[in-house]
């Protein structure tokens, strides 16, 4: 009987150690998810920075290797990298100091945010749909649908 009790105690201790290890693992996962901003907040920060024409804040929400595509279905990006984003949009903000994007609609699906935007302050008003893919608090890819 004493051997059985010891085996039971050892089994209990092993299970307890496994349980504690699992709790630590899942706690780290939960903390990582809680620390990463939501896709919605990332895309909203991008839009806010765009409208303030704050090119540094705008570029900061994009991954260092972000890829922009001119159209849905394009396989070759039209722009790659945070530095290229900062350069292109810095030039755009200088050329069009009254450039502004009004959000006409938004859909959030998992880590994708789809914005329907009306852009003013250029030669003519433009309507676009922008699809943003967000991972770990940064925009990693975006596609545009233009009129």
């Amino acid at each position: 009987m004493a051997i059985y009790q010891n085996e039971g105690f050892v089994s209990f201790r092993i299970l307890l150690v496994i349980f504690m290890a699992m709790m630590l693992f899942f706690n780290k996962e939960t903390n990582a998810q809680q620390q990463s901003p939501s896709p919605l907040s990332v895309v909203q920060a991008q839009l806010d920075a765009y409208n303030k024409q704050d090119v540094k804040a705008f570029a900061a929400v994009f991954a260092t290797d972000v890829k922009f595509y001119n159209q849905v279905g394009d396989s070759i990006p039209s722009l790659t990298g945070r530095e290229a984003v900062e350069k292109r949009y810095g030039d755009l903000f200088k050329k069009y100091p009254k450039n502004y994007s009004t959000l006409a609609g938004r859909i959030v699906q998992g880590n994708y945010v789809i914005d329907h935007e009306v852009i003013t302050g250029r030669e003519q008003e433009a309507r676009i749909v922008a699809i943003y893919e967000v991972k770990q608090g940064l925009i990693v890819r975006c596609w545009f649908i233009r009129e």
Side-chain angles (χ1 to χ4, degrees), residues 65-114:
D65 60 347
V66 65
K67 291 179 177 38
F68 281 51
Y69 298 90
N70 279 334
Q71 294 292 329
V72 171
D74 284 357
S75 59
I76 299 172
S78 60
L79 188 67
T80 301
R82 183 184 292 154
E83 288 180 16
V85 169
E86 188 171 337
K87 169 82 171 94
R88 179 178 290 177
Y89 283 85
D91 292 347
L92 178 86
F93 295 160
K94 285 177 189 167
K95 184 175 181 178
Y96 300 108
K98 294 184 180 185
N99 184 66
Y100 193 86
S101 179
T102 302
L103 189 62
R106 175 174 276 165
I107 298 170
V108 179
Q109 180 68 36
N111 64 322
Y112 291 89
V113 179
I114 304 161

Side-chain angles (χ1 to χ4, degrees), residues 24 26 28 38 72 82 99-100 116 123 132:
L24 286 172
F26 286 117
K28 285 181 183 176
S38 71
V72 171
R82 183 184 292 154
N99 184 66
Y100 193 86
H116 181 208
E123 284 96 18
Y132 303 97

Side-chain angles (χ1 to χ4, degrees), residues 10 16 22-23 42-43 47-49 53 61 67 70 82 90 93 100-101 103 109-110 116 122-123 131-133 145:
V10 170
L16 183 61
M22 288 175 57
M23 291 305 294
V42 171
V43 171
L47 181 63
D48 293 342
Q53 297 202 17
V61 299
K67 291 179 177 38
N70 279 334
R82 183 184 292 154
F93 295 160
Y100 193 86
S101 179
L103 189 62
Q109 180 68 36
H116 181 208
R122 299 183 190 177
E123 284 96 18
I131 303 168
Y132 303 97
E133 181 182 8
I145 303 170

